[in-house]
Amino acid sequence: MEHAPIIRRMTEEFDEESGEYPMIMSGPQWKKFRSNFCDFVQTLVKQCQYSIIYDQYLMDNVISLLTGLSDSQVRAFRHTATLVAMKLMTALVDLALTVSIHLDNTSRQYEAERQKTRDKRASDRLKALLAKHQELEENMDEIKNMLTYTFKSVYD
């Protein structure tokens, strides 16, 4: 289903007057639910950090759904979407830091290998490090694009 029909159906079926909205309900079980809900978003990014997050499908759909929900008529949906977007962006910033560290390490290894004398230099290792460096740069660009798009579409 496209996001618009999903959001429309959710809006139709949600009883805003009931007050049954887990993100604002009091009690220990709801506090635990909120905590677990927020942890889920960060765990999702962490578990997908090596491949799925860059497939331009999962994150595009999640961000698109959050964008639609953040613009909903239903206050509970706007609140939840904004919270999830914030947690998603926090997880993406953490991931960007990790990628940045790997990028620095790969650059250092590449330079160390390149500085070796020609007879001690491993050309296969140089190629592999260069390929890894390019992959990490692409991943970093993808993360930056996700962060920018999420911020502009949800908070702007």
Side-chain angles (χ1 to χ4, degrees):
M1 291 177 75
E2 289 295 317
H3 297 125
I6 292 170
I7 294 169
R8 187 172 35 259
R9 184 164 177 201
M10 287 171 58
T11 303
E12 291 167 359
E13 294 183 14
F14 184 74
D15 182 12
E16 201 165 4
E17 303 302 319
S18 72
E20 292 184 17
Y21 169 46
M23 299 310 249
I24 62 168
M25 292 176 74
S26 59
Q29 75 270 23
W30 297 113
K31 185 176 182 180
K32 187 165 179 68
F33 172 81
R34 282 189 297 275
S35 176
N36 288 338
F37 184 73
C38 292
D39 289 346
F40 168 76
V41 175
Q42 292 179 303
T43 302
L44 176 68
V45 171
K46 194 171 213 156
Q47 291 297 316
C48 299
Q49 70 179 325
Y50 296 109
S51 62
I52 297 171
I53 203 164
Y54 307 109
D55 72 0
Q56 296 180 336
Y57 181 78
L58 173 71
M59 293 306 288
D60 288 358
N61 279 292
V62 168
I63 294 168
S64 177
L65 182 61
L66 290 175
T67 300
L69 288 171
S70 70
D71 197 33
S72 173
Q73 301 167 2
V74 179
R75 183 179 190 191
F77 296 167
R78 290 192 310 268
H79 177 254
T80 303
T82 304
L83 174 66
V84 171
M86 180 188 66
K87 294 297 181 179
L88 181 68
M89 290 181 69
T90 301
L92 287 171
V93 167
D94 291 344
L95 178 57
L97 176 61
T98 302
V99 172
S100 176
I101 290 168
H102 289 302
L103 197 54
D104 289 344
N105 290 341
T106 303
S107 294
R108 241 188 328 274
Q109 290 171 347
Y110 177 80
E111 283 304 314
E113 191 66 35
R114 201 174 63 82
Q115 304 260 334
K116 291 180 181 176
T117 60
R118 185 162 285 223
D119 56 325
K120 292 186 179 187
R121 188 182 309 158
S123 61
D124 291 347
R125 180 158 165 73
L126 275 174
K127 287 179 187 174
L129 287 169
L130 188 58
K132 183 70 173 169
H133 189 270
Q134 288 172 330
E135 178 188 349
L136 290 168
E137 280 183 332
E138 289 170 9
N139 290 352
M140 184 63 89
D141 287 342
E142 188 71 28
I143 293 167
K144 286 177 184 176
N145 289 338
M146 286 184 245
L147 284 166
T148 302
Y149 181 72
T150 303
F151 184 80
K152 285 183 178 179
S153 57
V154 174
Y155 298 107
D156 237 0

